[in-house]
Amino acid sequence: MRTFLLLCLVVLFPTVLMAQKTTGGIKGTIYDSINDYALQSASISVYKQSDSSIVEFQLSNTSGEFDIKNLPPKVPLYMVVSHTGYRPLVKNLLLDSLNLITDFKKLFLFQKAENEMDEVVVKAVQPIRMNGDTLEINPDAFKLDSNAVVEDMLMRVPGLTVWGDGTITMNGRKLEKVYVDGKPFFGGAAQTATQNLPKNAIEKIQLYQEKDLSKVQQSEEKTDSLYAMNIKLKADKKKGMFGKIGAGYGTDNRYTGDGVMQFYNKRTQAGIAAGINNINKEEGTGENAFMENTFKSNFRVFFGGRGGGADGITRRTYANAKIQHSFSESDNSQFYNRMSADYGYLNTLRNVLTNTTNIQNITQNNSSYKLSNIGESRGMNNNTSNNVKFMYENRKQFGNFVNLTANYTNQFTSNENESTTNVFKNDSTAISTAINRNRSTTVSDNLNMFGFIRSNDAGQLQDPRKNFMLFFNGGYNNSSSNSNTVSRFLSYIDTIPSDLIDRKYNTLNRNYNASLTLNYDGFKSLIFGIYNFFNIDVSLANDISISRSEMDSRVADLDTLNNLYQANDLLTNNNILTNFYYKPGLSFRKSINKSVWEKYNYWFSMGVELKYQFLNQKNESSFLFRNIDRNFTAFTPNLNMNFNYNKNNAYRINSYLWANMQQTPASIDQLYPLVDSTNRYNIIAGNPNLKASTNTYANWNFDISRAKMNTKSNYSAGIGINYNNTANAVSDNLVYDSSGRSIRYLINVDNQRAISGNFNTRFSMNLTKLSNLNFSYRLNLSTNERPGFINSVSSTSTNNSISNNLSATYSLIDKFNITIGETIATNRSVQQSISRISSVIRNYTTTGNINYFITKELTLNTSLNYQNNIAANGNSVKVNIWNANAIYRFMQQKAELKLSAFDLLRQNKNITNFVRENAATTTISNGLQQYFMVTFSYYPRKFGGSNRPSPPPSGGAIMIVR
């Protein structure tokens, strides 16, 4: 923690120097000249008289007030005040040391006459303005380098914060969606657009609220609206191409190569990505290949601090392709007709060496002893997958909302693993050894289809009886696996000292599932007609699903006498499990809202779903004792409440509560398991008398964020609490034998509980026009209680964990940024039986990352990760991982040469500590060691199809008389 405080001082020191610079300011209130009322969202911009370059800008608040600071003294300036429907107002300024602050008191704007034109003398570009309920940002007002991208401009907009993890907030509120011309841009990730698209290709940036369409797919509505950003391209920039091609080679035979190319026009977006590396980078799965190879990704916070720390050494080969096509050129993000398709190929070859220490505290015959399992393993995993996704969406202003999604995955996996486990009693007495060797291959095909049809909002208003939502889902999975396990068990206690098993498995699985959900929201109108039923909405809900799982398992053991494999009649079996669910129900919802112009608005909604669950479960097996046919019924209601409150120019509150009940019957393998003797130390004994479990779940979230205009600082905070209680939970009675083996006798217990909570807060402050300071803190708490038995003695296990994560970032735009973080995590397990046994593990992590932009072409990056892992036995392992990068850009920043150094101190280790119930586990695995690498990359970029100048942006410039 002292290291973290010291780094905080390093971050804060330059801010003190910045604060010593003398600046001036102006303030006042904007009024309508005729009606004498304050004008909200008037645009106030200050320019230099010499070249009309923008100095500072603001929007007036709800009281028409503005307060602009950080203006240079003794520099001729002029101020422009504008508002939609009013004549611009221009005033000249000259601040000096005796008059640093100018208070204009009241400034009156005069309404324009119809078709009135301003006399053209000076052209002033408005940086921001309000257009109805939409905030518009004009990129042409920001004079930046010709290679600047959208994110470079956003970092200079007051109230807008680009966080190190890529999150964008405006006045403390997160931008949930980012569109380009009203469409998701290559999957919708913000950085794909903001770190690739050049500023000079943008006509304007629009920030607005839109309806949260994601709630169509879930019953617990979290928000009624979300904040979105739309990047509107200039007319001649509606098509373009960008990407990256790079390759690198380093010491210890480390290499990397990747290529990404993306193309777009008015209707179509297409991209391809491919690469290979053996430095544990994970780019190449889904959107990562496109998100993490952007034009400006190397210049952002946290660059160089990721990768390399994964368990084992992995060679990753990938290829991805995606296409999105809109059947109309509409730029309305709420109404669209489009399809998208994705293909992904991924091969990973992973080599892992692991050493594991597992310590269990055992109570037996009124005494306690320690059981230590010391194991080492070597594994090689080869996994290849091909994935194809397709989605069609059609949402019209008048017509049903249609969505159809299909996903197909083919996967091949092969594994080779060798392990040795030695068991000791009280550290000194060796009681058994298990040696295992396993080889397996699995081939699987998985197809899933999902879709829904929903009546749109316009239809709901015209005829409520037509309101409905229809969801459907279907899937098929087929897998085939072959494996061979050779297991040798040596007991130093039992009379039979050794046991050798050589066993082969051949398993075929087929799974089918289908479900249908129909919600009829017009039920109230159909039953009650025009009677509004106290303004309570009533919906009819029906859920139907069926699943069928087929398994054919062939098991054979080696007969050492004739060296032939003979069928194992205790494990060879056929099994078919069929589940049929039906859930009818009624839903009631009541909403209340109120709005006072320019003051506040709130919305409250409460919904209750009364559902009853019918389940038929049938299992057919070649073992007669596993043949069952049973029925379950249960009342499974759920409750959801939402509350939103907005106080103008102050703060915003959002809160929701969701609770439900579910019944889950015991599985066939819990009732009648087939025990495989190759599981040497963990044997499960079933219980045919297990009852169905009833789970009660509740989740509450509360978020608050600042919503004040013209402020240098913004904050947001959130609290979340989850509660889970299970009646008739499946637990176990662990019985240990003299060789350290455990047999789990499954039983039902009550009051198995889990409670978790989190608190998070973010704070950002603009210190100067080009510098800012960000803080974030997150607290996670959890506790769970699991009743059970150990050697037939009642024993309750309680696990508590707490994690604190604090980070601070100081950024001097285009010059320097530093991020430091501290994480403190504690995990405690208490076993309450005849005696009380407690185990505690702690992890301390301090991180630091610095980017120093020496010139526009040369960047230096360094990151340090200090870890202190304290195991349950008190042993402490400390690690310092220091990485560094030097990046040089040339050829108009399209070419890049990078020198990378990983683990300069040669201390990289992968250590995991874990406690649960009566056991504490420490795992140490191999990982990458020190290497140096040189990488060359080229970023091809072209935007627009001609050299014709772009037309002036609408609403972005005004002609004024100065």
Side-chain angles (χ1 to χ4, degrees), residues 105 234 271 343 370 392 439 523 558 560-561 694 751 763 875:
K105 305 296 183 183
K234 292 179 179 178
Y343 168 76
K370 183 170 66 174
Y392 173 73
R439 295 182 178 180
F523 187 70
L558 179 66
T560 56
L561 295 179
T694 301
N751 301 321
F763 175 80
N875 291 339

Side-chain angles (χ1 to χ4, degrees), residues 537-722:
D537 294 327
V538 183
S539 301
L540 184 65
N542 279 278
D543 300 334
I544 300 175
S545 68
I546 185 170
S547 64
R548 178 182 174 93
S549 299
E550 301 176 356
M551 183 190 70
D552 184 0
S553 178
R554 304 297 175 192
V555 183
D557 292 333
L558 179 66
D559 187 338
T560 56
L561 295 179
N562 54 26
N563 202 33
L564 296 175
Y565 284 91
Q566 304 292 333
N568 185 319
D569 294 332
L570 298 178
L571 294 176
T572 299
N573 73 102
N574 295 314
N575 199 87
I576 300 174
L577 175 64
T578 305
N579 288 302
F580 177 77
Y581 281 92
Y582 176 53
K583 275 189 180 182
L586 280 175
S587 174
F588 302 88
R589 178 171 294 279
K590 172 74 173 179
S591 298
I592 302 172
N593 62 80
K594 183 178 180 179
S595 178
V596 178
W597 176 251
E598 304 293 355
K599 291 187 178 294
Y600 68 87
N601 65 81
Y602 71 81
W603 173 75
F604 174 76
S605 175
M606 177 177 178
V608 177
E609 281 189 323
L610 305 178
K611 288 188 174 182
Y612 207 81
Q613 173 182 297
F614 298 90
L615 167 63
N616 174 258
Q617 187 177 80
K618 184 177 183 180
N619 195 78
E620 302 170 89
S621 172
S622 55
F623 292 115
L624 296 181
F625 65 90
R626 285 166 60 94
N627 288 337
I628 59 173
D629 190 345
R630 52 186 183 162
N631 296 289
F632 299 89
T633 59
F635 179 56
T636 57
N638 70 63
L639 167 73
N640 59 83
M641 293 190 292
N642 289 264
F643 176 72
N644 288 278
Y645 180 86
N646 297 309
K647 187 172 182 179
N648 281 18
N649 201 37
Y651 57 86
R652 182 183 298 107
I653 292 175
N654 175 56
S655 180
Y656 72 89
L657 171 69
W658 181 62
N660 79 340
M661 293 181 64
Q662 294 289 339
Q663 185 187 70
T664 305
S667 68
I668 186 63
D669 290 322
Q670 291 175 324
L671 299 173
Y672 304 100
L674 300 180
V675 179
D676 192 331
S677 56
T678 59
N679 297 323
R680 297 298 192 174
Y681 292 106
N682 297 283
I683 302 169
I684 298 179
N687 183 353
N689 297 315
L690 287 175
K691 300 177 182 178
S693 301
T694 301
N695 181 271
T696 303
Y697 175 80
N699 171 248
W700 175 70
N701 278 264
F702 176 89
D703 298 288
I704 183 171
S705 60
R706 193 173 194 178
K708 190 173 183 179
M709 300 177 63
N710 304 333
T711 179
K712 285 188 174 183
S713 61
N714 283 291
Y715 66 81
S716 65
I719 299 175
I721 297 177
N722 296 289

